[in-house]
Amino acid sequence: MASEPLLIVRGALRRFGDRTALAGADLTARKGEVLVLLGPNGAGKTTLLRALAGRVRLDAGQIRIGGGAPDEPGVRRRVGFVPQSIALWGRLPVRTNLEILGRLAGLPRHEVAAAVTDALEWSGLADRAGEPVESLSGGMQRRINIAAGTLHRPDLLLLDEPTVGLDPVARQAVHRVLEGLRDRGMSLILTTHDLVEAEALADRVAVLAGGVVRAADTIPILVGRLFGSDQEVLLMLASEPAPALRDFLRTTLFSPTNEPRLWVGRLRGGLERLPELRSQLIEAGADIDELRVRQPGLHGVFVELTGTVPNA
């Protein structure tokens, strides 16, 4: 994807009191791509997203969208924002919600009806247009929330956790909506804690930690850059490790997960090194329940760049 950047962020800095949410973040996004922002809680993802939407002012640094700043009227019309919370009136019909939000987005009155009809069609909810929002499922409400952010036909759509709380079927329906928007030429930047979702949707991923972007590229390029010929090792212990064993695992390039007995590491030098690693672990007191190798992927990239294990 060699198209020119639609978005350029340089040195984005934002503090909230004593807390630094963004510590000099750099980022670019191209026309017609899906860019997924990943990172642990507190990494700066939502703050960056809100800064791109013009809802948070930077203390330093620069954001340019199509050459202009987010707070410029012409730029605001090129950007759509979909918050994590459902920003709809529950008792009003779906169509009425979208008509009101279309006017609030600055659409001329004579364009609202056509924009709403189009949004209802591509979101797959035309047959529910007359029903109150509160009567719809969570997945349908998410799709209406997304439709509301696109009524003014933005070039760039920003979405904060667009599938949070949804079951797999509803999540897939939202994915189809997002893929359809990309197919229309819209650029999407979204946050998620779900690495499977990121792999399914992303043209590129950007991994944040400590308020900066540690790396941004396609998943295969990031895996190759960080792991080379190394492979990922999954270690399941028979019981939770003692402090001395935990220290040893960390020095042997293992990282803990949300399951105290499961550790993720990397195997350098090929599969022939696996017996040697097993011997080292046993000598250190590890009661091994399972030790297996897999090709590294986005999970390994996340752990390598952030020093933490994803919480989803």
Side-chain angles (χ1 to χ4, degrees), residues 19-23 25 38-48 193 207-213 302 306:
R19 183 175 71 88
T20 300
L22 295 174
L38 300 172
N41 291 332
K45 303 183 300 296
T46 296
T47 300
L48 178 57
H193 286 286
V207 182
L208 286 81
V212 299
V213 177
F302 188 101
T306 69

Side-chain angles (χ1 to χ4, degrees), residues 6 13 33 43 54 84 92 94 96 100 106 112 126 146 149 156 182 218 221 224 235 240 248 287 292 298:
L6 172 65
L13 176 68
E33 78 167 346
Q84 184 178 136
L92 295 181
V94 170
T96 303
I100 294 171
V112 171
I146 294 169
L156 175 63
R182 176 183 55 188
T218 66
I221 287 177
L235 168 65
E240 188 171 341
F248 174 80
D287 186 359
R292 60 188 176 91
L298 186 54

Side-chain angles (χ1 to χ4, degrees), residues 76-96:
R76 284 201 298 269
R77 286 192 291 270
R78 300 184 66 179
V79 179
F81 181 69
V82 181
Q84 184 178 136
S85 58
I86 301 295
L88 302 168
W89 292 277
R91 295 184 180 181
L92 295 181
V94 170
R95 182 181 292 278
T96 303

Side-chain angles (χ1 to χ4, degrees), residues 229-290:
S229 61
D230 293 351
Q231 293 179 301
E232 201 169 37
V233 182
L234 300 181
L235 168 65
M236 177 61 80
L237 299 169
S239 59
E240 188 171 341
L245 179 56
R246 286 201 300 269
D247 291 342
F248 174 80
L249 291 172
R250 288 191 173 94
T251 62
T252 321
L253 300 179
F254 278 90
S255 299
T257 70
N258 297 330
E259 160 57 61
R261 298 183 300 129
L262 178 62
W263 291 67
V264 180
R266 59 193 298 172
L267 182 66
R268 299 187 185 276
L271 285 174
E272 62 270 16
R273 298 294 303 276
L274 190 60
E276 178 185 347
L277 176 61
R278 178 185 289 273
S279 297
Q280 291 175 345
L281 291 170
I282 292 173
E283 289 175 9
D287 186 359
I288 299 173
D289 190 36
E290 183 181 10

Side-chain angles (χ1 to χ4, degrees), residues 36-269:
V36 176
L37 304 182
L38 300 172
N41 291 332
K45 303 183 300 296
T46 296
T47 300
L48 178 57
L49 205 68
R50 292 178 65 83
L52 300 181
R55 301 188 176 200
V56 168
R57 286 187 175 274
L58 297 180
D59 297 317
Q62 186 180 75
I63 296 172
R64 289 292 180 266
I65 301 172
D71 57 356
E72 295 177 11
V75 173
R76 284 201 298 269
R77 286 192 291 270
R78 300 184 66 179
V79 179
F81 181 69
V82 181
Q84 184 178 136
S85 58
I86 301 295
L88 302 168
W89 292 277
R91 295 184 180 181
L92 295 181
V94 170
R95 182 181 292 278
T96 303
N97 266 273
L98 293 179
E99 289 171 346
I100 294 171
L101 292 167
R103 294 291 292 133
L104 292 175
L107 277 178
R109 188 177 299 275
H110 66 277
E111 295 182 9
V112 171
V116 169
T117 297
D118 181 50
L120 289 168
E121 288 293 338
W122 62 249
S123 64
L125 292 167
D127 59 338
R128 314 298 290 269
E131 299 180 24
V133 165
E134 64 186 7
S135 71
L136 304 183
S137 68
M140 291 179 181
Q141 291 185 27
R142 287 281 167 196
R143 282 146 61 191
I144 293 297
N145 214 36
I146 294 169
T150 65
L151 290 169
H152 58 303
R153 299 177 179 85
D155 298 319
L156 175 63
L157 184 63
L158 310 170
L159 307 103
D160 193 9
E161 297 276 356
T163 62
V164 64
L166 298 184
D167 62 48
V169 173
R171 187 179 300 117
Q172 284 299 316
V174 172
H175 287 185
R176 288 193 294 271
V177 165
L178 298 179
E179 289 164 352
L181 291 173
R182 176 183 55 188
D183 292 344
R184 288 177 164 217
M186 194 177 296
S187 299
L188 281 67
I189 300 179
L190 63 96
T191 68
T192 183
H193 286 286
D194 187 337
L195 298 191
V196 174
E197 177 168 81
E199 290 177 324
L201 291 175
D203 296 307
R204 292 189 305 133
V205 298
V207 182
L208 286 81
V212 299
V213 177
R214 301 293 184 184
D217 218 316
T218 66
I219 296 172
I221 287 177
L222 290 175
V223 169
R225 184 186 306 162
L226 293 171
F227 285 90
S229 61
D230 293 351
Q231 293 179 301
E232 201 169 37
V233 182
L234 300 181
L235 168 65
M236 177 61 80
L237 299 169
S239 59
E240 188 171 341
L245 179 56
R246 286 201 300 269
D247 291 342
F248 174 80
L249 291 172
R250 288 191 173 94
T251 62
T252 321
L253 300 179
F254 278 90
S255 299
T257 70
N258 297 330
E259 160 57 61
R261 298 183 300 129
L262 178 62
W263 291 67
V264 180
R266 59 193 298 172
L267 182 66
R268 299 187 185 276

